[in-house]
Amino acid sequence: MISLGSGLDRLASFASASHRRACLLLVLLSLAAFLPGFASLQPFDRDEPRFAQASKQMLETRDFVDIRFQDEARHKKPVGIYWLQAGSVAIGEALGVPQARTTMWLYRLPSLIGAVATVLLTYWALLAFVGARLALLGGAMMAACVLLGVEARFAKTDALLAACAVATMGALARAWLDWTRSLAFVPSRWNWLVFWSATALGLLLKGPIVPMVWGLAMIVLAIRERSLRWFAPLRPGLGLLLCLIVVLPWFVAIAIKTGGDFFAESVGKDMLAKVGEGQEKHWGPPGLYLLLFFGTYWPAAALASM
């Protein structure tokens, strides 16, 4: 008989022999991890029904610029997640899903797609550092991640935001490693497009969070190298233009419609208030996230001390 360890070793060898097989296995692992309870779980986060209701109202009012929750303005996050949720429900209606606008799993579909994309992009990002077999292991660990499994079942921004962050960091890694001559292959000429497309989507999902993630890494590497020339293959000029083309129309439209109130609410009262005052209990002592990491990123966190 074949032992479990031997069977897993053969499966890993078979799947890592081609990127297509590896991605197929990772998608199957992701769905096995994320689908249980996806449709049957009731909303168990206070924000999830608010996101869903705001997206539902977008469909009902056909107002895809302003974001409303019942009679109140919901100016906490940009419009990206509401567009995606509204689109998901509209597709469900077109396909004949009964009572699509009150079916919670349709609003969760963008999060499920974002979580699966995070797993696949983890595999892609790791290929810049290690071989296909270890990259496959990293992707599988991401699929088993406790926190990602939770976010895959939430009609919120975080699973998609994770995918955007991983995509930008993978592209940044390729640019950096090519500069240091550590990369065995030259990054695709489309690497810059991955980087800036993910940045643009991240801006529409949650404002500056994704640029803050890769921006800190870029600053540290620029100080280390005393140069930003390694960043040039990511074509920052074209990339910033792409971001403006994607995000500027809605930002201008919401500024005109709300008289600038959206930015005062989302940046001043939501994001900065959470940083400065722990708004809505977004607070903890220094080191809290480091401790939570060992539970939320399990089982991969078990290897962190190595």
Side-chain angles (χ1 to χ4, degrees), residues 78-126:
V79 76
I81 189 62
Y82 304 100
W83 283 351
L84 292 171
Q85 290 181 356
S88 175
V89 173
I91 292 172
E93 283 185 317
L95 294 176
V97 176
Q99 299 178 326
R101 295 191 183 185
T102 56
T103 300
M104 197 65 202
W105 65 265
L106 286 173
Y107 294 93
R108 292 171 174 165
L109 270 180
S111 293
L112 177 65
I113 293 170
V116 174
T118 300
V119 172
L120 294 175
L121 287 165
T122 298
Y123 169 76
W124 173 77
L126 285 171

Side-chain angles (χ1 to χ4, degrees), residues 86-237:
S88 175
V89 173
I91 292 172
E93 283 185 317
L95 294 176
V97 176
Q99 299 178 326
R101 295 191 183 185
T102 56
T103 300
M104 197 65 202
W105 65 265
L106 286 173
Y107 294 93
R108 292 171 174 165
L109 270 180
S111 293
L112 177 65
I113 293 170
V116 174
T118 300
V119 172
L120 294 175
L121 287 165
T122 298
Y123 169 76
W124 173 77
L126 285 171
L127 287 173
F129 298 94
V130 296
R133 188 182 176 95
L134 285 177
L136 178 64
L137 176 62
M141 285 187 168
M142 181 62 84
C145 170
V146 172
L147 187 56
L148 186 63
V150 171
E151 294 299 341
R153 297 169 174 86
F154 269 1
K156 292 168 55 181
T157 58
D158 296 311
L160 281 162
L161 201 69
C164 292
V166 173
T168 56
M169 292 300 280
L172 193 71
R174 281 164 165 72
W176 169 256
L177 292 175
D178 183 48
W179 172 263
T180 60
R181 306 293 189 265
S182 300
L183 199 59
F185 57 92
V186 176
S188 165
R189 60 194 180 99
W190 302 111
N191 194 51
W192 73 274
L193 190 58
V194 173
F195 182 84
W196 291 107
S197 297
T199 298
L201 178 56
L203 287 169
L204 278 178
L205 287 170
K206 211 166 184 175
I209 302 301
V210 168
M212 287 167 66
V213 171
W214 62 254
L216 178 60
M218 182 191 73
I219 291 170
V220 172
L221 293 174
I223 292 173
R224 180 184 185 275
E225 193 66 19
R226 298 181 181 179
S227 172
L228 265 175
R229 285 182 295 170
W230 61 271
F231 193 73
L234 289 173
R235 302 183 187 181

